[in-house]
Amino acid sequence: MVLVKKYIGRTVEIIYVDRAGKITQRRIEVHDVRDGIVRATCLVSNAPRAFRMENILAWVPVAKGRHHAS
């Protein structure tokens, strides 16, 4: 969890598995990390989302200037 906290205020790309077991790739802007939950805005849907840390399979910061999905 400590590693994700350093991305607060930044855009990251994550690979995430949801409750149903579906794996998705998302680009998010991280707002807060607390109690195993990452609170963020999904940049594709422009909606707030909460992600369980244990369900994030991988993350990578998005280079500045590349915040929007192409």
Side-chain angles (χ1 to χ4, degrees):
M1 181 167 74
V2 175
L3 294 175
V4 176
K5 280 189 173 190
K6 75 179 185 178
Y7 296 119
I8 291 174
R10 297 206 36 212
T11 300
V12 297
E13 192 131 349
I14 63 170
I15 305 294
Y16 186 78
V17 60
D18 68 14
R19 282 182 224 154
K22 181 179 176 187
I23 296 174
T24 60
Q25 183 171 343
R26 299 168 183 253
R27 192 168 287 202
I28 63 172
E29 183 177 317
V30 180
H31 300 300
D32 190 29
V33 180
R34 190 176 342 153
D35 299 325
I37 303 291
V38 176
R39 300 203 183 280
T41 299
C42 175
L43 296 179
V44 173
S45 64
N46 201 31
R49 296 283 188 259
F51 302 95
R52 293 186 173 278
M53 281 293 304
E54 69 257 16
N55 292 350
I56 297 175
L57 305 176
W59 67 82
V60 65
V62 174
K64 293 184 185 215
R66 297 190 55 188
H67 293 284
H68 301 288
S70 39

